[in-house]
């Protein structure tokens, strides 16, 4: 991560951790209320009840704050994927694993309104776009492991994972945009598309 996006100081004492949490919660509220373009470190500091100098002790700029919020979300999604890989290693039906993958993403992105603003920032801000690219590369690596655990050959799994990552990236953007009434249809259609795509490379089940 570039120096402008990295957290300047990792809080170790309880008071420092509380202060960083206050900064992140304040930034989340302001992002939802006014959007990324209107976010400033001054407004975040005021909302968090601290000085701008104190904020700069932990974050170089608003990009670094958004990067930290993104990191929290990504770590949870990584844990979800790790659990799916374990299920695939145990030999569970792959179609159910794909369904769970889509359900987990749908619920996670819908549950946090700030993700819509963060997704926009990751695509629109040139510096944050680099972070977005790194996140997608990480997702592709995990999806490669997942597809291999499902039984797809490694080289082909890598190609499928890259394409699936692009598809998932587009899907979550729609998830945070569509009204609740359209979410079920969107989810079902996307599951059908992704399942059909993966099925083209799944090894045939042994005949009895």
């Amino acid at each position: 991560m570039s120096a402008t996006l990295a957290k300047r100081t990792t809080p170790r004492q309880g008071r420092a951790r509380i202060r960083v949490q206050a900064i992140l919660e304040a930034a989340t509220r302001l992002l939802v209320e006014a959007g990324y373009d209107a976010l400033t470190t001054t407004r975040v500091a005021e909302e968090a009840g601290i000085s701008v100098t104190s904020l700069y002790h932990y974050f170089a700029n608003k990009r670094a704050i958004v990067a930290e919020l993104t990191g929290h979300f990504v770590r949870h999604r990584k844990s979800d994927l790790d659990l799916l890989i374990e299920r695939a290693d145990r030999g569970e039906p792959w179609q159910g694993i794909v369904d769970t993958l889509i359900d987990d993403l749908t619920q996670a992105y819908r549950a946090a309104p700030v993700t819509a603003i963060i997704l926009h920032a990751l695509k629109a801000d040139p510096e944050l776009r680099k972070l977005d690219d790194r996140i997608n590369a990480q997702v592709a690596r995990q999806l490669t492991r997942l597809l291999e655990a499902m039984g797809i050959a490694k080289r082909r799994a890598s190609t499928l994972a890259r394409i699936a990552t692009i598809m998932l990236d587009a899907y979550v953007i729609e998830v945070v945009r569509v009204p609740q009434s359209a979410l079920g249809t969107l989810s079902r259609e996307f599951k059908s598309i992704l399942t059909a795509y993966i099925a083209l490379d799944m090894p045939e089940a042994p005949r009895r």
Side-chain angles (χ1 to χ4, degrees):
M1 187 180 294
S2 69
T4 58
L5 295 185
K7 191 189 299 182
R8 284 181 162 175
T9 302
T10 299
R12 301 190 184 280
Q13 297 181 347
R15 183 178 298 179
R17 288 195 294 269
I18 292 171
R19 183 168 294 176
V20 168
Q21 186 61 31
I23 292 170
L24 297 177
E25 290 175 357
T28 297
R29 290 193 295 272
L30 291 171
L31 283 167
V32 173
E33 291 171 6
Y36 177 71
D37 291 339
L39 189 73
T40 66
T41 51
T42 299
R43 291 189 67 186
V44 173
E46 290 174 353
E47 181 73 12
I50 64 173
S51 68
V52 176
T53 301
S54 294
L55 184 148
Y56 285 144
H57 184 68
Y58 302 102
F59 300 101
N61 49 44
K62 72 175 187 178
R63 292 185 181 91
I65 297 173
V66 171
E68 182 69 13
L69 289 171
T70 303
H72 282 237
F73 192 76
V74 167
R75 283 190 288 275
H76 286 295
R77 304 289 71 75
K78 181 181 182 300
S79 296
D80 290 342
L81 270 172
D82 285 340
L83 291 175
L84 293 180
I85 293 169
E86 291 177 8
R87 287 176 54 183
D89 282 334
R90 292 197 298 266
E92 293 189 25
W94 68 271
Q95 295 93 335
I97 293 174
V98 172
D99 283 353
T100 301
L101 170 64
I102 304 307
D103 288 342
D104 286 348
L105 286 174
T106 302
Q107 292 167 11
Y109 278 88
R110 289 294 289 197
V114 73
T115 57
I117 295 94
I118 289 176
L119 283 172
H120 169 73
L122 291 174
K123 305 299 180 187
D125 187 298
E127 190 68 24
L128 288 175
R129 200 177 305 135
K130 298 174 185 177
L131 173 61
D132 190 43
D133 290 341
R134 290 194 293 273
I135 291 169
N136 284 337
Q138 174 185 306
V139 171
R141 287 192 294 272
Q142 279 193 287
L143 287 177
T144 298
R145 290 171 53 207
L146 178 61
L147 291 167
E148 287 183 76
M150 290 177 179
I152 296 177
K154 184 172 184 177
R155 180 174 297 181
R156 184 59 184 162
S158 178
T159 300
L160 290 182
R162 288 197 300 272
I163 302 302
T165 299
I166 294 170
M167 295 167 68
L168 289 167
D169 200 34
Y171 173 72
V172 295
I173 290 174
E174 288 303 307
V175 162
V176 298
R177 287 178 178 171
V178 301
Q180 184 66 34
S181 59
L183 188 60
T185 299
L186 175 66
S187 177
R188 286 192 301 272
E189 291 297 318
F190 187 68
K191 285 178 182 178
S192 296
I193 292 169
L194 188 57
T195 298
Y197 180 59
I198 294 173
L200 295 174
D201 286 275
M202 288 300 298
E204 292 186 10
R207 295 180 180 178
R208 296 186 179 181

